[in-house]
């Protein structure tokens, strides 16, 4: 039923599609993405929507629509009795998803939804606790797919809705515009029901009342330029996209956390005494304010609780509109379907039409849950192999099982496995039990037996972390979400989504294709991986095999004695800074600045930094720069970039799919790199021993390396590995640092003052100068805190072991980890012998594929993420004048703050801590000093939300960093 005026002729007109991601920062002023109404204003707090008198209803309406998507509203709602602040997604077909704040209630927010404008029932709304919400900004999120809608507050899921739990035929699923604004529900012109819902009559003399919206971030999960209704049924399948695709799964919504705050009512819970966020409770609606839609109801609704249609006997409604059961306790929301697996649960009915059921979860532990008496207790379930689980029918009386079934039962009993008996009715049907079916049964028994053995061993070692549920066989929905986040350059969202399923400890696990994957952000677990249990984890042979062509047997690809030998070989070469290092820095920074200009010209400084660091690294390593700053099409740089690109794709594809990745450009590029490097290796190898001794002029890293080994392959592998690390990490850090400087002119000014006081305006800095610039060091540390150079790392479990935390009722018990067990990845979802894997912190699923051993079997991996760890609020003190929000770039926080142990690891930790960190920090510091001696101002040409975090081998700014530099004394 289409009820909007736009759809009055029986079909809705096409809608302009967003088809991408945008972030609108209203602190920068008005946005051309929205149409204003009622004169919103703008200042440093964002867009303000002020209600000062009767009839005021300022709002913004997007000029585009999204078809499934993710919307984040950063909002401070308006105070005042009768004042309503609204954030709305609404379609022409009158599908709607809302957030609503009542000015009379400073401690709650309301979520709501509507389908096709139907307002004849009253069970859609829910209240969520947000204490003192009018005092500051919070982020309120709606994640909307065809599978579910999730409402989140500051990243915590507070409510979910699925098509099954929504009112029949009313799940929102048509293209939606975005609306935000404030209005007076307590205006005297409104019907009495509206005034009562809004908390009472508005007293304009006590105003004005202002709602503020700092920003809105929107991701349209679908693509194209236009969304068109192809029928009149209002389903998402009837929507077509011009020039794009309707993506019903989207990025993936966060299913409700079992420990998330309880809501006053859910979609199958008690009703609320109003018809919705933008509906009225009188028989006829006559409203011209924000953004009400006229409709006629069946009956009027009075303000007496007992007259609300469908309100269960004994339930009451507070003056603020909250529904309470007879016990004055909020009803428990129904749990995710993955927990409802009891074959014969015990149930008891409680007041208000709810049932308390007792059953068993997917690990065999007894549990209870509360559901509506009319709700189905069994939904479609899938086991860890992706097969549908159905209730087991009883064997008919008098129908004896066939011998094959008896044999299977006997075999399973001897193995200690319980197998559901098949229904065999005898007669002709019982004669069709084929050998193939028998083999399948035995294979299944074998697999179950193996799983039980693994389960028992995991329990013996420790236990399991909380499990993230999957709604589709083989975890396809999880796979899609991970891939989608990677495409959107939002890998960090994988982490926050996963961690939302555990409130006990930042450790969770998922199951994909029968694989157990554990993710953790616990510093104790990361400490174990990197230090205290260092011998239990390593890079592993699968990683070595994947990267051998590129990085050989270098320090970055090996374990055990071979790694130790590499470490001992290279470590002395980085122990001190040499005079020649600073000569290299000076020569290269001079060339770099000659390409920047000095009159505010727009330049992608990130591209220049990557060429600059390549020139510096090759000069340092082999004594001959490739001079890529002189030639933007430099052959070495081109081949090096191409080898990295193909290597990254190959590693993510995994076996056997890596075989199909085109490798021609990879091999051509690798041959060029090898020929180039080997030329200098041959030249150094031909020197006499006395000529290899330290002589500052012309003495290189390769000279020093040749004193410790004459193996040319070792020299080649270590050189290429250090070149990769030395170029990309330094360039990425410099790019992010100047990205932040361009947005913070006060930091630029403070840095320049320190540099001029300690070093002066012309003199090249020494190592001691750079070290003594304390504010410079804090600025570099702050950059590495927000943008760690290596966003994630992987390890292999080399033995049966544990993680210290993650299991048990308090999340502080060890998690069991098995040796050499397979890893699930979407290059191997259907491998017959896939086994569990351990993952630490965040890693998107495409990277899991790289952990096959040489025989094609999967092995147990571990990964941890500095990016996620260093952006986790629990690792920081509360926000205060001395310690701003962790998302803010603020070097001053380092004046009195020291990170907790193992919560700041930009250079890794433990025995594998980066041996080149001092060289990298010196190069970064030198570059910043020389540039800020010359330039006094940096302009930003990038727009908010434009730069994305690209997580490949290292972290880099996707899209570049477009800025302009002004020389000292230059004219603005």
């Amino acid at each position: 039923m289409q009820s909007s005026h736009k759809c009055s002729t029986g079909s809705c007109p096409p809608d302009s599609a967003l088809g991408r991601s945008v972030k609108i920062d209203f602190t920068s002023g008005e946005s051309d993405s929205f149409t204003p109404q009622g004169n919103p204003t703008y200042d440093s707090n964002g867009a303000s929507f002020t209600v000062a008198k009767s009839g005021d209803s300022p709002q913004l309406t997007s000029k585009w629509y999204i078809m499934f998507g993710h919307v984040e509203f950063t909002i401070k709602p308006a105070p005042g009795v009768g004042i309503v602040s609204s954030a709305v997604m609404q379609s022409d077909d009158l599908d709607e998803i809302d957030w609503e704040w009542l000015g009379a209630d400073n401690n709650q927010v309301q979520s709501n939804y509507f389908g096709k404008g139907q307002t004849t029932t009253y069970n859609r709304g829910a209240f969520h606790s947000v204490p003192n919400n009018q005092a500051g900004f919070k982020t309120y999120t709606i994640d909307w797919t065809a599978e579910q809608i999730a409402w989140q507050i500051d990243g915590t899921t507070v409510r979910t809705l699925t098509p099954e739990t929504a009112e029949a035929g009313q799940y929102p699923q048509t293209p939606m515009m975005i609306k935000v604004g404030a209005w007076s529900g307590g205006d005297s012109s409104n019907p009495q029901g509206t005034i009562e819902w809004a908390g009472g009559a508005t007293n304009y003399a006590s105003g004005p009342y202002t709602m503020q919206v700092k920003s809105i971030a929107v991701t349209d999960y679908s693509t194209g330029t236009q969304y068109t209704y192809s029928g009149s049924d209002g389903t998402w399948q009837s929507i077509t996209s011009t020039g794009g695709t309707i993506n019903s799964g989207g990025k993936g919504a966060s299913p409700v956390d079992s420990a998330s705050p309880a809501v006053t009512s859910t979609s199958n819970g008690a009703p609320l005494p109003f018809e919705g966020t933008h509906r009225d409770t009188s028989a006829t609606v006559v409203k011209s304010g924000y953004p009400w839609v006229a409709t006629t109801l069946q009956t009027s609704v009075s303000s007496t609780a007992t007259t609300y249609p469908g309100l269960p006997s004994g339930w009451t409604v507070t003056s603020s509109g909250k529904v309470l059961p007879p016990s004055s306790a909020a009803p428990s929301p129904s749990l995710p379907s993955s927990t409802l697996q009891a074959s014969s649960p015990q149930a008891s009915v409680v007041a208000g039409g709810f049932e308390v059921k007792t059953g068993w979860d997917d690990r065999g532990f007894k549990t209870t849950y509360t559901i509506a008496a009319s709700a189905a207790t069994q939904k479609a379930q899938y086991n860890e192999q992706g097969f549908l689980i159905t209730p087991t029918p009883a064997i008919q009386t008098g129908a004896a099982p066939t011998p094959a079934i008896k044999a299977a039962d006997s075999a399973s009993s001897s193995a200690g496995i319980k197998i559901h008996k098949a229904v065999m009715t005898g007669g002709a049907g019982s004669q069709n039990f084929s050998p193939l079916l028998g083999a399948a049964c035995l294979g299944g028994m074998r697999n179950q037996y193996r799983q039980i053995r693994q389960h028992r061993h995991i329990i013996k070692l420790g236990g399991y972390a909380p499990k993230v549920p999957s709604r589709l066989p083989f975890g396809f929905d999880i796979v899609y979400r991970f891939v989608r986040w990677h495409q959107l350059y939002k890998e960090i969202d994988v982490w926050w989504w996963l961690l939302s399923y555990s409130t006990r400890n930042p450790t969770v696990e998922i199951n994909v294709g029968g694989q157990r994957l554990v993710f953790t952000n616990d510093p104790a677990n990361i400490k174990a991986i990197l230090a205290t249990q260092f011998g239990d984890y390593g890079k592993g042979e699968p990683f070595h095999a994947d990267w051998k062509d590129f990085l050989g047997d270098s320090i970055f690809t090996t374990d055990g004695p071979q790694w130790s030998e590499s470490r001992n070989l290279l470590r002395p070469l980085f122990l001190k800074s040499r005079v020649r290092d600073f000569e290299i820095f000076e020569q290269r920074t001079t060339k770099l600045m000659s390409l920047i200009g000095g009159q505010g010209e727009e330049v992608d400084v990130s591209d220049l930094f990557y060429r600059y660091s390549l020139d510096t690294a090759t000069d340092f390593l082999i004594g001959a720069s490739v001079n890529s700053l002189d030639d933007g099409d430099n052959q070495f740089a081109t081949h090096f970039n191409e080898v990295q690109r193909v290597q990254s794709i190959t590693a993510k594809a995994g076996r056997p799919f890596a075989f199909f990745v085109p490798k021609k450009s990879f091999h051509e590029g690798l041959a060029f790199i090898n020929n180039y490097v080997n030329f200098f290796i041959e030249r150094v190898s031909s020197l006499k021993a006395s000529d290899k001794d330290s002589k500052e002029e012309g003495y290189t890293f390769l000279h020093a390396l040749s004193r410790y080994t004459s193996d040319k392959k070792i020299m080649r592998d270590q050189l290429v590995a250090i070149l990769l690390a030395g170029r990309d990490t330094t360039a990425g850090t410099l790019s992010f640092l100047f990205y932040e400087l361009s947005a913070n002119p006060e930091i630029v000014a403070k840095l320049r003052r320190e540099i001029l006081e300690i070093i002066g305006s012309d003199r090249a800095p020494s190592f001691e100068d750079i070290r003594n610039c304390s504010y410079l060091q804090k600025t570099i540390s702050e950059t590495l805190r927000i943008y760690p150079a290596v966003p994630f790392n992987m390890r292999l479990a080399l033995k049966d072991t544990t993680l210290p935390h993650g299991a048990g009722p308090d999340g502080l018990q060890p998690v069991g980890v098995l040796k050499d067990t397979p890893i699930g990845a979407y290059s191997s979802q259907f491998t017959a012998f896939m086994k569990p894997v351990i993952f630490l912190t965040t890693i998107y699923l495409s990277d899991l594929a790289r952990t096959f051993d040489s025989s094609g079997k999967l092995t147990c991996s571990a990964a941890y993420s500095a990016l996620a760890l260093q952006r986790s609020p629990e690792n920081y003190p509360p926000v205060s004048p001395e310690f701003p929000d962790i998302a803010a770039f603020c070097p001053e926080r380092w004046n009195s703050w020291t990170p907790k142990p193992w919560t700041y690891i930009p250079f890794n930790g433990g025995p594998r801590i980066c041996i080149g960190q001092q060289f990298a920090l010196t190069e970064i510091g030198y570059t910043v000093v020389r540039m800020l001696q010359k330039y006094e101002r940096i302009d930003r040409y990038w727009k908010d939300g434009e730069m994305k975090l690209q997580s490949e081998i290292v972290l880099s700014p996707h899209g570049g960093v477009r800025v302009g530099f002004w020389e000292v004394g230059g004219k603005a």
Side-chain angles (χ1 to χ4, degrees):
M1 182 183 73
Q2 298 171 345
S3 37
S4 168
H5 67 281
K6 292 185 178 181
C7 307
S8 58
T9 60
S11 64
C12 299
D15 295 321
S16 176
L18 175 61
R20 56 192 175 92
S21 295
V22 296
K23 181 174 182 180
I24 296 92
D25 181 1
F26 291 114
T27 64
S28 299
E30 186 175 357
S31 169
D32 59 6
S33 290
F34 286 82
T35 300
Q37 174 183 312
N39 298 320
T41 59
Y42 303 88
D43 58 21
S44 60
N45 288 315
S48 295
F49 305 83
T50 300
V51 177
K53 63 183 183 303
S54 179
D56 284 350
S57 57
Q59 65 170 292
L60 292 174
T61 303
S62 67
K63 298 178 181 179
W64 31 253
Y65 290 68
I66 65 174
M67 184 57 199
F68 300 121
H70 185 89
V71 184
E72 297 178 358
F73 304 92
T74 302
I75 285 176
K76 182 167 73 172
V81 173
I83 301 300
V84 183
S85 301
S86 302
V88 182
M89 296 167 59
Q90 188 181 63
S91 76
D92 297 344
D93 202 18
L94 295 188
D95 284 347
E96 190 172 310
I97 310 170
D98 308 334
W99 284 110
E100 203 83 11
W101 300 261
L102 302 181
D105 188 348
N106 189 27
N107 295 306
Q108 294 190 108
V109 64
Q110 175 191 321
S111 61
N112 219 331
Y113 76 96
F114 295 91
K116 312 301 179 284
Q118 297 184 26
T119 59
T120 54
T121 56
Y122 312 89
N123 57 352
R124 298 173 176 85
F127 287 99
H128 313 282
S129 176
V130 191
N132 202 25
N133 61 64
Q134 296 167 9
F137 289 95
K138 291 184 178 296
T139 299
Y140 301 85
T141 300
I142 296 172
D143 196 278
W144 169 48
T145 71
E147 298 172 1
Q148 75 167 9
I149 301 167
W151 288 262
Q152 297 176 321
I153 302 174
D154 283 344
T156 299
T157 301
V158 295
R159 181 185 182 186
T160 59
L161 177 78
T162 66
E164 293 78 19
T165 56
E167 287 294 295
Q170 295 185 48
Y171 184 81
Q173 54 189 294
T174 50
M176 294 199 186
M177 68 183 85
I178 311 298
K179 298 183 178 183
V180 290
W183 54 287
S184 176
D187 192 273
S188 59
S189 65
N190 289 333
Q192 187 60 31
T194 302
I195 296 173
E196 291 176 358
W197 164 73
T202 301
N203 180 4
Y204 294 105
S206 299
Y209 308 103
T210 300
M211 166 198 186
Q212 293 177 321
V213 180
K214 181 176 289 185
S215 64
I216 301 177
V218 185
T219 295
D220 188 349
Y221 288 157
S222 299
T223 59
T225 59
Q226 194 175 70
Y227 300 133
T228 302
Y229 292 77
S230 62
S232 59
D233 60 357
T235 62
W236 70 265
Q237 292 90 343
S238 69
I239 307 300
T240 60
S241 172
T242 301
T245 304
I246 302 298
N247 294 318
S248 62
K251 182 182 67 173
S254 299
V256 68
D257 186 339
S258 60
S260 62
V263 298
T264 302
S265 67
T266 61
S267 58
N268 59 0
L272 291 179
F274 53 87
E275 293 179 79
T277 303
H278 307 306
R279 306 303 191 272
D280 191 63
T281 51
S282 64
T284 303
V285 177
V286 181
K287 180 67 183 175
S288 59
Y290 176 86
W292 292 56
V293 179
T295 184
T296 300
L297 309 183
Q298 298 292 331
T299 59
S300 297
V301 179
S302 75
S303 60
T304 305
T306 55
T307 66
Y308 297 138
L311 190 66
S313 174
W315 289 63
T316 59
V317 180
T318 68
S319 60
S320 65
K322 181 189 290 187
V323 177
L324 297 176
S327 63
S328 296
S332 301
S334 53
L335 297 178
S337 60
S338 60
T339 64
L340 307 181
Q341 296 183 1
S343 58
S344 57
Q346 304 296 317
S348 61
V349 179
V350 297
F354 287 85
E355 292 183 9
V356 177
K357 290 184 175 289
T358 301
W360 291 265
D361 63 18
D362 56 357
R363 296 201 186 113
F365 295 103
K366 191 174 183 179
T367 186
T368 60
Y369 46 92
T370 304
I371 65 171
S374 60
T377 60
Q378 292 285 342
K379 293 186 178 181
Q381 300 294 318
Y382 299 91
N383 66 13
E384 292 188 348
Q385 285 72 49
F387 295 103
L388 183 67
I389 300 173
T390 57
T392 305
I395 297 180
Q396 295 184 8
T397 304
T402 67
I405 294 296
K406 288 182 178 179
D409 281 345
S410 175
S412 64
S413 297
S414 65
I417 306 172
K418 181 180 179 182
I419 304 290
H420 290 308
K421 296 181 179 180
V423 179
M424 305 300 290
T425 59
S430 63
Q431 305 301 317
N432 294 329
F433 190 80
S434 68
L436 182 61
L437 179 59
C441 289
L442 291 175
M445 291 162 50
R446 178 183 178 184
N447 191 40
Q448 280 198 339
Y449 178 58
R450 182 167 52 247
Q451 288 182 1
I452 287 178
R453 289 185 61 187
Q454 291 173 349
H455 168 75
R456 289 175 176 172
H457 196 28
I458 289 172
I459 294 299
K460 183 177 179 181
L461 288 169
Y464 293 88
K467 186 176 180 180
V468 178
S470 172
R471 298 174 181 271
L472 294 177
F474 303 106
F476 282 154
D477 54 327
I478 295 177
V479 173
Y480 180 82
R481 290 170 180 172
F482 283 21
V483 173
R484 179 62 172 166
W485 270 313
H486 176 57
Q487 292 173 335
L488 296 173
Y489 302 102
K490 292 185 176 181
E491 284 88 349
I492 189 67
D493 286 359
V494 175
W495 177 246
W496 309 137
W497 171 69
L498 290 170
L499 256 318
S500 69
Y501 287 90
S502 176
T503 58
R504 304 176 311 197
N505 180 276
T507 304
V508 297
E509 60 184 72
I510 67 174
N511 190 286
V512 176
Q515 302 310 302
R516 172 178 170 249
L517 316 175
V518 180
F519 297 74
T520 184
N521 207 33
D522 188 317
N525 288 345
I526 296 175
K527 177 182 178 181
I529 283 289
L530 296 179
T532 57
Q533 294 174 230
F534 177 75
D536 293 355
Y537 298 93
K539 290 286 188 177
E541 179 54 33
F543 182 89
H544 177 255
D546 283 343
W547 289 81
K548 188 172 183 179
D549 287 346
F550 186 18
L551 301 183
D553 298 319
S554 68
I555 189 173
F556 297 134
T557 62
T558 53
D559 294 306
Q562 193 173 16
W563 167 81
S564 183
E565 290 176 6
S566 292
R567 181 85 178 184
N568 293 333
L569 175 68
L570 296 177
R571 189 170 181 271
L573 310 184
F574 288 98
L575 287 180
K576 65 177 181 178
S577 295
R578 301 169 302 136
V579 172
R580 187 180 182 284
D581 296 344
F582 286 82
E583 293 174 350
I584 294 172
F585 298 156
E586 179 65 18
Q587 183 179 0
R588 301 304 158 196
T589 53
T590 300
K591 180 61 181 179
L592 170 69
M593 290 186 291
S594 71
L595 301 176
I596 287 177
Q599 298 299 313
E601 301 95 326
E602 181 177 339
V603 60
D604 180 3
V605 74
S606 179
D607 173 66
L608 292 178
F609 281 141
Y610 274 84
R611 290 155 58 186
Y612 160 75
S613 60
L614 177 62
D615 291 354
T616 302
T618 50
D619 201 345
F620 166 74
L621 291 172
I622 60 178
S625 171
V626 297
N627 294 321
S628 64
L629 282 173
D630 292 322
D631 178 10
D633 297 322
N634 180 274
Q635 277 192 293
F636 188 94
T638 300
H639 286 303
F640 197 79
N641 290 337
E642 179 62 11
V643 168
Q644 279 187 262
R645 185 189 71 83
V646 178
Q647 176 65 63
S648 180
I649 295 173
T650 302
K652 290 174 181 175
R655 303 175 193 175
F657 295 107
F659 177 79
F660 299 101
V661 176
K663 293 284 189 69
K664 181 180 179 182
S665 62
F666 174 86
H667 292 300
E668 289 176 350
L670 196 60
F672 185 93
I673 294 170
N674 290 340
N675 290 335
Y676 190 94
V677 171
N678 287 334
F679 170 81
F680 293 96
I681 292 175
E682 291 290 344
R683 191 168 70 175
V684 169
S685 298
S686 66
L687 295 176
K688 297 178 181 179
S690 59
D691 294 331
K692 298 178 183 179
D693 291 337
S694 178
K695 298 175 182 177
E696 278 298 335
E697 185 177 357
Y699 190 74
T700 69
F701 179 93
L702 180 57
H703 283 84
L705 186 61
S706 67
R707 295 183 62 209
Y708 292 89
T709 180
S710 60
D711 190 317
K712 297 176 183 178
K713 182 181 184 305
I714 291 178
M715 287 192 278
R716 178 267 172 208
D717 292 348
Q718 304 296 1
L719 279 173
V720 173
I722 298 299
L723 177 58
L724 172 64
R727 184 193 80 149
D728 287 22
T729 56
T730 302
T733 301
L734 282 169
S735 297
F736 288 120
L737 192 153
F738 277 88
Y739 169 84
E740 291 290 350
L741 291 185
S742 68
N744 295 277
E746 70 283 357
I747 298 178
V748 174
K750 192 169 182 178
L751 277 172
R752 272 185 49 79
R753 284 196 300 271
E754 179 182 72
I755 291 169
L756 295 179
E757 289 174 2
I758 295 176
I759 305 171
S761 60
D762 298 312
R763 180 171 63 86
S766 65
F767 177 78
E768 289 73 21
D769 290 332
I770 296 171
R771 184 177 58 186
N772 292 335
C773 290
S774 61
Y775 191 69
L776 171 62
Q777 297 300 323
K778 293 169 186 175
T779 302
I780 296 173
S781 295
E782 183 71 350
T783 303
L784 290 169
R785 182 187 70 85
I786 301 178
Y787 309 103
V790 181
F792 54 81
N793 256 302
M794 298 200 316
R795 295 290 184 267
L796 188 81
L798 304 178
K799 58 191 291 187
D800 290 345
T801 184
T802 62
L803 293 175
H805 292 163
D810 57 0
L812 298 178
Q813 306 307 309
V815 175
V817 182
L818 302 184
K819 174 181 181 286
D820 291 336
T821 52
I823 175 172
Y826 61 138
S827 64
S828 57
Q829 293 300 315
F830 310 106
T831 302
F833 298 101
M834 292 188 293
K835 303 175 185 176
V837 61
I838 169 70
F839 258 74
L840 301 178
T841 313
T842 184
I843 183 168
Y844 47 89
L845 208 59
S846 54
D847 282 301
L848 311 187
R850 65 181 71 184
T851 51
F852 287 86
D853 65 20
S854 57
S855 65
K857 293 182 179 179
L858 291 162
T859 49
C860 179
S861 275
Y864 57 93
S865 169
L867 183 64
L869 182 72
Q870 294 173 194
R871 294 189 176 202
S872 297
E874 61 267 23
N875 294 328
Y876 294 93
V879 174
S880 67
E882 293 75 29
F883 194 89
D885 187 276
I886 63 172
F889 185 85
C890 181
E892 285 78 7
R893 77 172 75 245
W894 294 81
N895 290 338
S896 57
W897 170 73
T898 300
K900 299 176 185 177
W902 296 99
T903 62
Y904 177 75
I905 53 170
F907 291 102
N908 222 337
R912 281 190 182 264
I913 192 169
C914 176
I915 59 175
Q917 64 172 299
Q918 190 58 61
F919 181 88
L921 291 173
T922 302
E923 181 181 356
I924 293 168
Y926 191 99
T927 306
V928 174
V929 167
R930 293 307 264 166
M931 291 183 70
L932 292 188
Q933 284 176 322
K934 181 174 182 179
Y935 304 113
E936 63 179 349
R937 198 178 98 201
I938 307 172
D939 290 344
R940 54 175 275 189
Y941 288 100
W942 49 267
K943 298 178 181 178
D944 289 337
E946 184 177 71
M947 191 271 287
K948 307 293 184 184
L949 299 181
Q950 183 167 334
S951 298
E952 298 292 350
I953 299 174
V954 300
L955 193 67
S956 61
H958 178 75
V961 177
R962 297 181 295 108
V963 295
F965 291 85
W966 290 88
E967 288 189 26
V968 176
K971 296 181 180 180

